[in-house]
Amino acid sequence: MNEAGKKPKAVVVGGSIAGLSCAHALILAGWDVVVLEKSCAPPSGSPTGAGLGLDPLAQQLIESWLGPPGLLHKASMPLTIDQDQATDSEKKISSTLTRDENFNFRAAHWADLHGLLSNALPQDIFCWGHLFLSFCSSDDKTCVEVKTKVIETGKIIKIVGNLLVAADGCLSSIRRSFLPDLKLRYSGYCAWRGILDFSDNDNSEAIMGIRRAYPDLGTCLYFDLASGTHCVLYELLNKRINWIWYVNQPEPELKGNSVTMKVSSDMIEKMHEEAEKVWVPELARVMKETKEPFINVIYDCDPLEQLFWDNVVLIGDAAHPTTPHGVRSTNMSIVDAAVLGECLKKWGVANLHSALTEYQSIRLPVVSKQVLHSRRVGRIKQGLILPDRKPFDPQTATPEDCQELQQKNMPFFADVRSVVDLHLPFPMEHTCWQPALGALFIYNIQ
């Protein structure tokens, strides 16, 4: 409570997974929360969107926020296997490069996870259709005023809180206000992606074929590598297959504040033609039968030097834009939110600077290494140049080369599970936080 006996208030800009996770964590920490989201309503049905891989710690945190046990389990599919394989584009055959059968992730559709997190929150905290415009902090840094526009009416309103949380994605306008010269780094490739819904015909030739070619679909995260390119494939709940195909190319020109490109029918047709040249026929057919595939331009950012300024803090992709190859973006956002909530709960609004300092000291060393590792893995799988090794060729790679492809090589990956139930032998306020504890932050799940 603040001096007036009222709960402290946080304004969260961004209503995607990071923003919703932050709302859960801050409410549990005793804060009032307002979530500003420019979309005019929550997503309905199953719109075009991304599949997500959730690690064990993220799963536990989400389950702790949802209340009734098992909701996440029912809304996701197991990913118990992490497999990299090589495709010979000429012979149209595949061979296993490396396989980890103790992966223990789960796969969810973005819209399904968003619905779970959103429905478990008080609905009066959401301001849908509110476009963030600007903010300013009070002279004594005890409050921040956020200006937003109601898209439907054009009305400008002001909301005052003690803390502003930037969960507004990799193109964060809030981050830009502090780091105006910071530029995202183009990875050198874009990603075609899509979700094939086969709920109406699960015995089609395309589905039976893809299950023959990828027999562990339903439990496996497949990484299929050809020369200078790779594809990701896994199954989602409700008979959907998620695929992502990374293609090396010059940086395209983006329009608007989005890293997603609209595609024409000609672009899609050319993609189908190239898929038939590169991939086994079963995978190329899945791509061809997918409705409304789209392109993400892949960016990341060199690690930031700080994650907060006065009473403004960055979480999720606003804090650490990352390439997707380490399956980290969503997981980092969820842990960011949990750590921020615990720090705010520990220090209280009267010691906001200490809370944000501790959040930063816990998360920054971890996410920095994970961003750089994801960048490296992406360049390896795309056959791009790295200073310390030759371009990766899946047809001639040694077993030692292939081991570097595994997800479990992600910094701090192996420790995630163990700390959930860890009890430190000393109080938090005397802890010298090591980077590992940032990935393994102790979150007491009740």
Side-chain angles (χ1 to χ4, degrees):
M1 295 289 184
N2 59 25
E3 292 181 0
K6 297 180 180 179
K7 287 184 178 181
K9 182 176 181 178
V11 181
V12 179
V13 176
S16 192
I17 304 301
L20 297 185
S21 298
C22 193
H24 278 283
L26 267 60
I27 288 172
L28 287 175
W31 283 58
D32 281 335
V33 175
V34 174
V35 178
L36 304 179
E37 169 54 45
K38 62 183 178 181
S39 300
C40 292
S44 59
S46 184
T48 298
L52 307 171
L54 300 172
D55 68 25
L57 180 56
Q59 294 171 43
Q60 292 232 12
L61 292 170
I62 293 168
E63 288 280 12
S64 75
W65 296 333
L66 296 182
L71 291 180
L72 178 62
H73 190 88
K74 294 175 182 177
S76 59
M77 294 280 286
L79 288 178
T80 58
I81 303 167
D82 169 29
Q83 177 165 314
D84 291 270
Q85 59 186 46
T87 289
D88 186 318
S89 298
E90 293 184 2
K91 297 179 181 179
K92 298 296 190 243
I93 57 175
S94 299
S95 57
T96 300
L97 297 173
T98 180
R99 181 178 171 96
D100 176 9
E101 297 188 356
N102 297 298
F103 193 45
N104 296 325
F105 275 46
R106 292 194 72 85
H109 190 286
W110 180 89
D112 295 340
L113 180 58
H114 189 279
L116 283 177
L117 291 171
S118 176
N119 292 336
L121 286 166
Q123 294 306 296
D124 60 0
I125 73 170
F126 291 103
C127 294
W128 299 104
H130 281 59
L131 178 66
F132 168 81
L133 297 177
S134 64
F135 71 92
C136 62
S137 295
S138 62
D139 293 338
D140 61 2
K141 310 304 180 185
T142 60
C143 64
V144 58
E145 181 182 90
V146 179
K147 187 181 293 186
T148 181
K149 181 171 74 172
V150 182
I151 294 175
E152 185 176 353
T153 65
K155 182 180 180 181
I156 306 298
I157 64 171
K158 297 177 181 179
I159 302 173
V160 177
N162 302 101
L163 175 67
L164 173 59
V165 181
D168 52 342
C170 66
L171 297 174
S172 171
S173 59
I174 297 174
R175 184 186 67 225
R176 194 181 310 125
S177 68
F178 297 106
L179 302 169
D181 298 325
L182 180 72
K183 303 297 183 184
L184 294 184
R185 169 196 161 275
Y186 177 56
S187 64
Y189 46 90
C190 295
W192 278 98
R193 60 191 312 164
I195 293 177
L196 175 62
D197 185 337
F198 60 95
S199 56
D200 292 336
N201 191 0
D202 59 354
N203 293 315
S204 68
E205 291 184 13
I207 297 306
M208 291 190 293
I210 199 70
R211 292 202 184 282
R212 286 193 300 268
Y214 298 83
D216 290 314
L217 267 180
T219 59
C220 184
L221 176 63
Y222 280 103
F223 292 88
D224 210 335
L225 285 73
S227 179
T229 189
H230 78 288
C231 186
V232 181
L233 186 73
Y234 57 94
E235 189 171 347
L236 297 170
L237 195 68
N238 297 324
K239 299 181 179 180
R240 293 170 290 181
I241 292 177
N242 183 72
W243 59 268
I244 311 165
W245 178 15
Y246 298 97
V247 180
N248 295 337
Q249 66 176 75
E251 182 178 4
E253 182 178 350
L254 288 172
K255 297 180 180 180
N257 193 38
S258 174
V259 296
T260 298
M261 287 178 55
K262 292 184 177 180
V263 296
S264 65
S265 57
D266 287 344
M267 294 170 67
I268 294 173
E269 184 176 348
K270 289 179 181 178
M271 181 269 287
H272 292 159
E273 293 173 357
E274 289 301 312
E276 290 178 354
K277 297 176 184 178
V278 175
W279 303 115
V280 297
E282 295 86 354
L283 178 54
R285 184 165 185 173
V286 163
M287 293 178 176
K288 191 170 185 178
E289 294 196 6
T290 299
K291 296 179 180 179
E292 300 181 1
F294 59 99
I295 293 178
N296 276 157
V297 186
I298 307 301
Y299 292 95
D300 69 4
C301 180
D302 289 339
L304 304 184
E305 295 182 358
Q306 63 189 97
L307 299 181
F308 81 96
W309 292 261
D310 297 323
N311 50 356
V312 181
V313 63
L314 310 179
I315 73 162
D317 289 343
H320 37 72
T322 183
T323 58
H325 310 293
V327 198
R328 296 312 311 154
S329 178
T330 299
N331 293 294
M332 286 194 288
S333 298
I334 291 166
V335 179
D336 285 351
V339 173
L340 179 61
E342 285 293 300
C343 290
L344 292 173
K345 182 178 180 180
K346 169 191 169 183
W347 289 99
V349 69
N351 298 296
L352 184 59
H353 185 271
S354 296
L356 299 182
T357 298
E358 185 164 50
Y359 161 75
Q360 176 176 276
S361 69
I362 293 168
R363 292 302 290 154
L364 193 55
V366 174
V367 298
S368 297
K369 289 188 176 182
Q370 292 185 337
V371 165
L372 295 177
H373 184 82
S374 294
R375 177 186 298 182
R376 177 179 177 84
V377 172
R379 294 191 68 80
I380 291 172
K381 292 185 176 183
Q382 286 298 106
L384 297 172
I385 295 173
L386 284 166
D388 61 339
R389 63 176 297 161
K390 295 179 180 178
F392 183 83
D393 183 345
Q395 301 302 324
T396 61
T398 66
E400 291 75 21
D401 289 334
C402 296
Q403 288 302 309
E404 193 169 1
L405 303 176
Q406 291 192 339
Q407 296 295 315
K408 65 183 180 182
N409 292 314
M410 173 64 63
F412 312 113
F413 179 92
D415 301 317
V416 166
R417 180 77 183 174
S418 63
V419 305
V420 175
D421 300 315
L422 179 66
H423 297 283
L424 288 180
F426 34 76
M428 276 183 57
E429 56 266 32
H430 300 305
T431 302
C432 179
W433 291 106
Q434 298 299 318
L437 288 178
L440 318 175
F441 186 76
I442 303 163
Y443 198 85
N444 296 318
I445 298 173
Q446 302 299 323

